[in-house]
Amino acid sequence: MTGSYRVGVIRGDGTGPEVVGEGLKVLEAVRGDASFDLVEFDLGADRYLRTGDTLPDDELERLRDLDAIFLGAVGDPRVKPGVLERDLLLKARFGLDQYVNLRPVVRYPGVQTLVPSHTEEDVNMVVVRENSEGLYSGAGGFHRKGTEHEVAVQESINTRHGVERIVRYAFDLAMQPHRRKKLTLVHKTNVLTFAGDLYQRVVDELAAEFPEVETDYVHVDAACIYFLDRPGRFDVIVTDNMFGDIITDLGAMIQGGMGIAAGGNINPQGVSMFEPIGGTAPSETGKGTINPLAAIGALEMLLRQLGEAEAADRIERGIREATQQMKSMRAGEMGYTTTQVGDLVVEGATS
Ligand code: IPM
Ligand code: MG
């Protein structure tokens, strides 16, 4: 039984449209009998500069009705930093209650990274980043702004409900057949004694429901060391929004770079949104030099979330074929153009 789906497409800014184009080319090649009604959304810097709209409420409602969303990237040097990030990307993540930010850190065959001693076996983990609260909640404010006595407060909001649902998601994931049944909490419990304590208590409580899962704890600073020195110790990591943001950029580097790092903003009960985690790469825009594999990997995650496992597996094979032929994952150093890398994936996926 194959499905029929309505998928929102937000090509966005910078290199977003180029990599989304390659993703959709791959989708067409692997979809089999599944059908996809692609619903285009004109969102991003151009729209904002033209009309002042970032993500109008009625469009957020239209996004809510879809089966999934495929996003290129948002952000543009012409727009003040923070506008599109907060009022478009974070508004979508929060508004659609995509409380899981799922970021696999996988080293594909043939990929060179900055840590030559790592093997494919070493780098095979997934970061479950809390995506709906923490420092990203926007709580805080200024007092006496612009004076010598200015106060700026930025609060980390951590709710029992929010922590429990993300930790539960991570335990469930650790139990999946392709995982190694190990869950590591990454936090900073020695300094963030309130938020960290809540996370640790929730992990300890839920551990009783998942006796087969081995749990451990690593401080976020030490986790950075282990990402380089002993990444194989990680299987599933659960962490808060800010720590998750930071360690997944480091994670991308041990995969080979931002060009290969994919992620999903997931609402298990609602609509999820998949994106390359690398941003808009303004300096590469329009040159055909950007690596589309992160976006293609995001599409693979989208298909898996929809239950189209065979199509997702095809993409996985295609990516593995492509990485073995490419010189580098870095923009402009791939040995192929953006379109040619898309073609390599299609070839590998369909042969
Ligand atoms: C990411 C990005 C975003 C984040 C920015 C663009 C708001 O860095 O997806 O990791 O901080 O979540
Ligand atoms: Mg980030």
Side-chain angles (χ1 to χ4, degrees):
M1 210 15 228
T2 43
S4 118
Y5 308 97
R6 289 179 67 237
V7 172
V9 178
I10 306 174
R11 295 176 193 256
D13 304 318
T15 50
E18 291 169 71
V19 298
V20 166
E22 293 311 303
L24 296 178
K25 176 169 90 186
V26 172
L27 175 64
E28 188 52 34
V30 301
R31 69 181 172 82
D33 294 331
S35 69
F36 293 85
D37 176 10
L38 302 176
V39 187
E40 298 274 351
F41 285 80
D42 173 22
L43 296 170
D46 286 336
R47 164 93 177 266
Y48 173 70
L49 292 169
R50 212 171 60 237
T51 68
D53 292 332
T54 45
L55 175 55
D57 291 339
D58 59 320
E59 279 176 74
L60 180 63
E61 291 318 308
R62 281 174 55 219
L63 288 171
R64 205 185 298 283
D65 284 338
L66 300 163
D67 295 307
I69 302 162
F70 186 33
L71 167 70
V74 296
D76 187 297
R78 295 169 298 168
V79 179
K80 191 170 160 247
V83 172
L84 296 168
E85 289 85 345
R86 177 148 290 282
D87 298 340
L88 203 180
L89 184 63
L90 296 183
K91 184 173 174 182
R93 287 179 183 171
F94 288 180
L96 301 171
D97 202 19
Q98 295 164 336
Y99 65 86
V100 183
N101 194 320
L102 191 64
R103 298 189 160 178
V105 178
V106 177
R107 180 170 167 153
Y108 291 100
V111 174
Q112 303 300 315
T113 75
L114 298 169
V115 191
S117 62
H118 287 174
T119 65
E120 263 179 71
E121 286 71 49
D122 292 334
V123 184
N124 182 11
M125 66 177 100
V126 55
V127 177
V128 177
R129 165 187 175 191
E130 204 293 319
N131 210 32
S132 67
E133 48 181 46
L135 276 168
Y136 280 66
S137 63
F142 295 111
H143 185 49
R144 299 192 290 258
K145 188 175 179 187
T147 71
E148 267 179 48
H149 298 282
E150 176 163 355
V151 180
V153 177
Q154 195 92 47
E155 284 158 318
S156 176
I157 304 293
N158 299 267
T159 67
R160 171 79 207 194
H161 167 71
V163 173
E164 191 169 326
R165 65 183 181 174
I166 196 68
V167 171
R168 184 173 292 283
Y169 185 93
F171 268 109
D172 280 332
L173 182 60
M175 284 298 291
Q176 300 221 332
H178 64 287
R179 300 287 4 152
R180 304 191 300 280
K181 296 194 176 63
K182 181 168 180 196
L183 177 65
T184 304
L185 170 64
V186 168
H187 210 287
K188 187 76 186 173
T189 52
N190 53 347
V191 176
L192 306 185
T193 50
F194 312 124
D197 189 73
L198 176 58
Y199 265 90
Q200 186 65 70
R201 272 184 286 124
V202 170
V203 169
D204 293 344
E205 276 173 40
L206 291 192
E209 285 180 44
F210 297 89
E212 288 175 58
V213 178
E214 179 198 341
T215 57
D216 76 343
Y217 171 79
V218 174
H219 289 319
V220 64
D221 45 353
C224 294
I225 297 176
Y226 285 133
F227 268 43
L228 301 179
D229 193 40
R230 209 149 58 82
R233 78 181 302 299
F234 296 119
D235 177 22
V236 178
I237 288 178
V238 67
T239 190
D240 84 353
N241 208 338
M242 186 85 253
F243 293 145
D245 176 49
I246 297 168
I247 65 172
T248 53
D249 270 19
L250 185 56
M253 292 316 288
I254 62 170
Q255 291 183 261
M258 298 308 279
I260 183 94
N265 303 280
I266 294 173
N267 176 343
Q269 289 84 38
V271 56
S272 301
M273 177 168 78
F274 298 83
E275 54 176 333
I277 77 175
T280 51
S283 62
E284 306 295 329
T285 300
K287 295 185 183 160
T289 49
I290 195 75
N291 188 345
L293 288 183
I296 295 170
L299 188 76
E300 177 192 335
M301 294 177 74
L302 182 153
L303 289 170
R304 245 180 246 294
Q305 182 76 15
L306 291 177
E308 293 292 333
E310 277 180 34
D313 288 344
R314 281 183 209 120
I315 298 188
E316 172 85 26
R317 278 204 305 279
I319 292 176
R320 285 175 181 276
E321 286 295 323
T323 56
Q324 292 178 72
Q325 297 175 57
M326 294 161 68
K327 284 207 190 75
S328 165
M329 296 299 113
R330 286 175 188 268
E333 298 171 24
M334 303 186 292
Y336 295 93
T337 65
T338 304
T339 317
Q340 287 171 331
V341 172
D343 293 340
L344 290 178
V345 176
V346 168
E347 259 169 56
T350 53
S351 63

